[in-house]
Amino acid sequence: MSAPSPNNDRADNEAQNNKRSQYKTSPLHAAVSGAFAGGLARTIVAPIERIKLLMQLQSSLPQEYMNKNSWQIASNIYLTQGVRVFWKGNWANLWNQAGISGLNFFFMDYYKAVSNWYFPGNHNTSNVILSSLLSGGLAGGTATTVLYPIQFIRTKMAADLGTTNQPWTIIRNTIQSDGIRGIYQGYGISIVGVFVYRSLHLGGYDAIKTVYLDKDNGKEDDGAAPISWMYRFMVAQFVSLVAGTICYPIDSVRRRLMMQVGGERPKLFRNAWHAFQIIFVKEGIRGFYLGLGPNLVRSIGNALVLVTYDAVKNILP
């Protein structure tokens, strides 16, 4: 048996050091890149996001918004309130998306670094996929827990029609009527949905990229340079459509639970499971997918977050 080569030992040590260095520095880059990508993409698709929310929350809105399609709702908003109102509440959406994207990618890198110790083997496809999916889900759950109050404010402001409620007014009214717990209405079902969504969205994108690179290069170098931007966007769009469609009913229930606090109307739902039952009985399957059309269009923004993140992260030193 031949003795191990000193050069091979040195190369292995350098590879391990580079790997550890990557996990020490990449989370910060991930946070900055993700925040920029999320803020930019969400501002672009803010009008579509608002129309989607109004379609999801028709049961909580005035009669003129009931049983309307996306074009009718958009036309009604434009004729009665003008163009600027399409970005109403966008500051909360901007802070939320910049923050949640930054935290998502930050924790994605962190959890992936941790999971690699439990699922060793960079060239084992099943380990790579499992590590990516688990890391994406955990990252999404952590980020949502931190920023859930901002998501609550965003939903309430986007659903306000013709009012001038400010964030602090929404918070005050909610606490007065429901206490601190009111701000976290829908949190339980949200965590379930976001874990599945981010597993498919963040984790699925990362897994496809990594497996593709392993197949072509045997390694992942310099921000996945061999992958064309068109290929990246196609992969990002695919995972965004799949994740968004699968998790849409959970998001609909979460939004409705948010909307029933801090208002004068009686509460319709005791909890998430009760909401699923009531919506199904009164509205059928269609009730869970109100606003799905605009959401599919909005998935372009979700894809842009992933691709912009790659681009910005490659630019950062």
Side-chain angles (χ1 to χ4, degrees):
M1 179 180 295
S2 61
S5 168
N7 290 334
N8 290 339
D9 290 343
R10 187 180 303 111
D12 291 341
N13 290 335
E14 289 178 357
Q16 289 295 326
N17 290 335
N18 288 338
K19 183 178 180 181
R20 293 191 187 97
S21 176
Q22 174 188 351
Y23 291 131
K24 287 180 182 178
T25 58
S26 62
L28 177 59
H29 288 176
V32 175
S33 304
F36 179 83
L40 176 64
R42 291 309 187 195
T43 298
I44 293 173
V45 299
I48 302 174
E49 168 76 6
R50 180 143 202 251
I51 293 170
K52 184 213 73 166
L53 282 174
L54 292 176
M55 292 191 70
Q56 278 184 311
L57 303 172
Q58 287 183 26
S59 61
S60 304
L61 302 179
Q63 187 65 33
E64 60 266 26
Y65 289 91
M66 297 289 291
N67 301 317
K68 303 294 184 181
N69 60 39
S70 56
W71 294 110
Q72 291 171 323
I73 289 177
S75 176
N76 194 350
I77 293 173
Y78 173 73
L79 292 176
T80 58
Q81 301 177 61
V83 173
R84 291 182 59 185
V85 79
F86 283 104
W87 279 267
K88 183 177 181 179
N90 188 59
W91 76 267
N93 195 34
L94 182 62
W95 281 104
N96 174 53
Q97 292 304 329
I100 207 164
S101 294
L103 290 176
N104 273 328
F105 288 111
F106 177 91
F107 286 116
M108 175 73 180
D109 273 20
Y110 171 77
Y111 286 126
K112 193 173 181 184
V114 173
S115 67
N116 282 341
W117 295 104
Y118 292 95
F119 305 107
N122 290 334
H123 302 292
N124 186 318
T125 300
S126 60
N127 282 355
V128 169
I129 294 174
L130 183 58
S131 173
S132 295
L133 296 180
L134 183 60
S135 299
L138 290 173
T142 306
T144 295
T145 299
V146 173
L147 295 174
Y148 196 79
I150 297 179
Q151 296 179 16
F152 172 81
I153 293 170
R154 160 62 180 164
T155 298
K156 298 286 283 186
M157 290 189 70
D160 280 342
L161 296 167
T163 64
T164 57
N165 280 342
Q166 298 298 319
W168 49 86
T169 304
I170 294 173
I171 293 173
R172 184 183 68 244
N173 292 342
T174 300
I175 292 177
Q176 287 177 350
S177 63
D178 298 271
I180 294 294
R181 290 182 59 187
I183 297 176
Y184 287 88
Q185 185 74 252
Y187 172 77
I189 190 65
S190 179
I191 287 296
V192 174
V194 80
F195 183 89
V196 177
Y197 178 80
R198 293 301 178 186
S199 293
L200 297 173
H201 186 241
L202 283 179
Y205 180 70
D206 182 75
I208 293 173
K209 281 197 312 175
T210 305
V211 169
Y212 177 87
L213 286 172
D214 283 344
K215 180 179 178 181
D216 282 11
N217 281 347
K219 58 185 178 179
E220 184 175 356
D221 283 337
D222 299 329
I227 299 183
S228 70
W229 290 106
M230 180 57 69
Y231 179 84
R232 290 172 190 259
F233 183 78
M234 289 173 61
V235 172
Q237 185 62 58
F238 172 75
V239 297
S240 297
L241 285 171
V242 172
T245 303
I246 290 176
C247 299
Y248 197 78
I250 297 177
D251 185 63
S252 293
V253 171
R254 176 176 72 99
R255 302 287 185 182
R256 294 204 193 191
L257 288 171
M258 285 181 173
M259 284 302 299
Q260 70 175 0
V261 299
E264 298 178 356
R265 296 184 180 184
K267 292 183 179 180
L268 300 176
F269 316 118
R270 294 191 298 270
N271 50 47
W273 176 241
H274 185 237
F276 272 107
Q277 293 176 307
I278 295 297
I279 294 170
F280 180 76
V281 170
K282 290 187 175 181
E283 305 174 41
I285 295 295
R286 180 178 177 273
F288 296 107
Y289 288 94
L290 293 173
L292 179 62
N295 193 63
L296 295 179
V297 177
R298 190 181 69 96
S299 68
I300 296 174
N302 296 331
L304 285 175
V305 171
L306 296 174
V307 176
T308 305
Y309 164 75
D310 279 347
V312 176
K313 190 175 180 183
N314 289 342
I315 293 172
L316 291 176

